[in-house]
Amino acid sequence: MSFSRWWTETTAALGDQLPLPLAALLLVLTTVLTATAWYTFPAWLPRRLPRLRRRRSARPTERQPTTVPSVPVTPEPPAGPVGTAVVADRLAAEGRYDEAVRERLRSMLHQLSNRRVVRVRPGMTVAEVVTEATVNHPPAGPPLAAAAALFSEVWYAQRPATADHDHRMRDHAGRLDHLLAAVTQLKDDDQ
């Protein structure tokens, strides 16, 4: 069967079921709706599509011993900046630098929160904390921004951390602690 014959028979069968002007109107309407959807494509999609959370894969096994050496059980460190710094030191000593970097940043956030430089709320990003801390206490901005960049490089870019990363993070935490201690000392002197 040739195409022209098929087309003639199909339009004749359609014409028996549906008046031709109505079929033409539906065809034009479908074309206009498709063209409009195509032209405005990004606008009618949600801004953020739901994403599945990926689990972080385990680091190479050379860092993680297969047998656990017998070590005396130590009590858990206290919660707060001192406790997270102790945990970070322990993680760095074990060679788990990724977690040590995270704990050092967590310690810095505890310090900012305890000294009321920033009110950390659930769901805040590191960038939001840095912005708020810089607005409330400008000298704290550079070490905190450098620490946040280092944290983002390790955790979000999923680059393995090294001892150098931990050392730099420790330096940023020390500078921030020094700056916040100086502010606390000035406030105590004024009272």
Side-chain angles (χ1 to χ4, degrees):
M1 176 185 300
S2 69
F3 177 75
S4 62
R5 182 173 176 160
W6 172 83
W7 179 256
T8 306
E9 288 178 5
T10 305
T11 53
L14 182 63
D16 291 341
Q17 302 296 323
L18 196 63
L20 193 57
L22 183 60
L25 178 67
L26 289 175
L27 183 64
V28 168
L29 237 142
T30 304
T31 305
V32 167
L33 286 175
T34 304
T36 304
W38 185 274
Y39 181 73
T40 62
F41 171 66
W44 50 268
L45 281 180
R47 286 193 183 266
R48 183 177 174 126
L49 295 174
R51 294 185 340 188
L52 296 174
R53 290 175 97 38
R54 260 185 16 188
R55 296 181 110 186
R56 288 186 60 86
S57 62
R59 295 292 175 202
T61 55
E62 66 249 9
R63 280 201 226 161
Q64 300 170 354
T66 53
T67 60
V68 179
S70 61
V71 219
V73 177
T74 58
E76 282 298 313
V82 174
T84 54
V86 170
V87 171
D89 290 339
R90 185 176 354 138
L91 290 169
E94 293 173 2
R96 296 166 50 191
Y97 298 115
D98 295 344
E99 289 96 359
V101 165
R102 181 187 61 200
E103 288 302 318
R104 292 201 195 286
L105 182 69
R106 189 175 285 162
S107 174
M108 294 168 79
L109 295 180
H110 277 294
Q111 286 178 351
L112 291 170
S113 179
N114 289 346
R115 294 186 178 168
R116 300 200 174 144
V117 174
V118 173
R119 192 176 132 239
V120 179
R121 295 174 301 281
M124 281 183 85
T125 64
V126 176
E128 291 171 337
V129 173
V130 169
T131 303
E132 190 173 329
T134 305
V135 167
N136 294 341
H137 184 62
L144 194 58
L150 188 63
F151 171 78
S152 295
E153 177 185 335
V154 170
W155 278 94
Y156 298 128
Q158 294 184 352
R159 295 195 176 105
T162 62
D164 180 54
H165 288 106
D166 181 58
H167 180 70
R168 288 180 13 216
M169 196 66 151
R170 186 187 310 249
D171 289 344
H172 297 316
R175 283 181 31 216
L176 181 69
D177 186 40
H178 179 70
L179 288 169
L180 293 177
V183 169
T184 306
Q185 183 66 29
L186 287 175
K187 285 182 182 178
D188 291 343
D189 291 344
D190 289 342
Q191 292 176 357

